[in-house]
Amino acid sequence: MKALRTLTAVLAMGLCFVSAAFAAPKAITVASDATWPPMEFVDANKKIVGFDIDFMTAVAKEAGLQVTFKNTAWDGIFAGVEAGQYDAIISSVTITPERQAKYDFTTPYVQIGQILVVPKAEKGTKIADLKGKKVGAQIGTTGAMEVKKVAGVELKTYDEVGLAFEDMAAGRIAGVVCDEPTAITYALQKKEYSSKFKIVGKSFTKEAYGIVVKKGNKDLVAQLNKGIAAVQKKKIDLQLKKKWQLK
């Protein structure tokens, strides 16, 4: 009986430790790779801004959370949430089966697609039209994955998507694949590029963004989902889309 009681106590303590490890917090730190306008970027005042930042702020408010943002490079952003360096990621992260196997996601909050940007003189309208040429994308993104699928096109990856557009302006690559909102920002709204680039074709993937949380942290996912539902019910997300010129 004593052994059974001891075993029961140990199991109870273990459950307490697991519960404590993922207890719903009152304040969270959220990572974002602020190089992806209009979703997340650093403004002239060195402040992280964008749709994702405003959306996460609204979600946190509705969920009763205080949120702090941490600008984090994309190539290490997922490892950081696994290591507990921050609680979540909001950074235009597409929900994919591969990522869901490693991390937990909230409900989707934005629907987007990949699209191709090329120099205005380019006649091609899809990635396959650029065979024998180089096409750029940010490393580890779904845009890069799409370029990899096309035989005869060489993928060139970049730590930041802005570097890909710089290379295309210099004539070193023939196209850039990225999320449509970011393509619009670079090709149509940036003064240095609007006379040089064009968006061709229509978005050719259907993707959804979600907020990323460490695998197993169901309490935080539930809190964030509650906040997302409230933001969507109050149509705050539609106001933010209008502010940031999202479709």
Side-chain angles (χ1 to χ4, degrees):
M1 181 63 73
K2 286 183 179 180
L4 180 60
R5 287 176 181 172
T6 301
L7 178 60
T8 301
V10 169
L11 289 172
M13 288 178 65
L15 290 172
C16 286
F17 283 131
V18 171
S19 178
F22 289 125
K26 293 183 179 179
I28 59 173
T29 300
V30 178
S32 188
D33 174 26
T35 64
W36 202 253
M39 307 306 290
E40 46 268 330
F41 62 103
V42 177
D43 68 9
N45 297 315
K46 307 299 182 184
K47 183 180 179 182
I48 304 175
V49 297
F51 174 86
D52 273 355
I53 306 306
D54 285 352
F55 182 81
M56 185 72 231
T57 300
V59 167
K61 181 179 179 181
E62 295 296 332
L65 297 167
Q66 295 179 332
V67 61
T68 300
F69 295 99
K70 182 176 182 179
N71 194 357
T72 306
W74 179 258
D75 63 357
I77 203 167
F78 293 102
V81 79
E82 283 187 293
Q85 295 174 8
Y86 30 82
D87 303 287
I89 302 167
I90 189 164
S91 195
S92 303
V93 181
T94 297
I95 301 170
T96 67
E98 294 79 11
R99 289 170 178 167
Q100 285 178 307
K102 295 180 179 179
Y103 317 101
D104 282 337
F105 280 84
T106 62
T107 54
Y109 65 90
V110 164
Q111 306 292 324
I112 62 96
Q114 297 301 307
I115 204 158
L116 175 63
V117 182
V118 297
K120 286 199 170 180
E122 174 61 50
K123 295 180 180 180
T125 59
K126 55 186 182 294
I127 302 173
D129 293 335
L130 303 178
K131 287 184 179 180
K133 300 178 181 179
K134 295 178 181 179
V135 175
Q138 184 166 340
I139 191 170
T141 61
T142 47
M145 295 173 195
E146 289 301 316
V147 178
K148 280 184 179 180
K149 294 178 182 178
V150 183
V153 175
E154 182 181 345
L155 169 65
K156 185 172 182 182
T157 57
Y158 299 83
D159 291 334
E160 299 178 14
V161 73
L163 298 175
F165 284 101
E166 286 181 16
D167 256 9
M168 187 160 67
R172 288 187 282 267
I173 59 175
V176 175
V177 175
C178 62
D179 298 359
E180 188 172 3
T182 300
I184 290 171
T185 297
Y186 276 95
L188 305 181
Q189 297 173 0
K190 282 187 175 288
K191 293 179 180 179
E192 65 267 38
Y193 296 140
S194 60
S195 63
K196 298 178 180 180
F197 303 153
K198 63 182 178 180
I199 293 173
V200 291
K202 297 181 179 179
S203 57
F204 49 87
T205 64
K206 292 183 178 180
E207 303 175 23
Y209 290 164
I211 301 170
V212 184
V213 172
K214 185 175 182 178
K215 197 72 173 176
N217 195 347
K218 302 298 183 182
D219 287 343
L220 181 54
V221 171
Q223 270 191 300
L224 294 175
N225 280 341
K226 179 182 177 182
I228 290 171
V231 165
Q232 292 174 338
K233 184 177 181 180
K234 294 179 180 180
K235 300 187 185 303
I236 298 171
D237 58 327
L238 299 183
Q239 297 170 24
L240 295 177
K241 286 181 179 180
K242 184 177 181 180
K243 173 183 175 181
W244 294 103
Q245 300 180 33
L246 300 185
K247 291 183 179 181

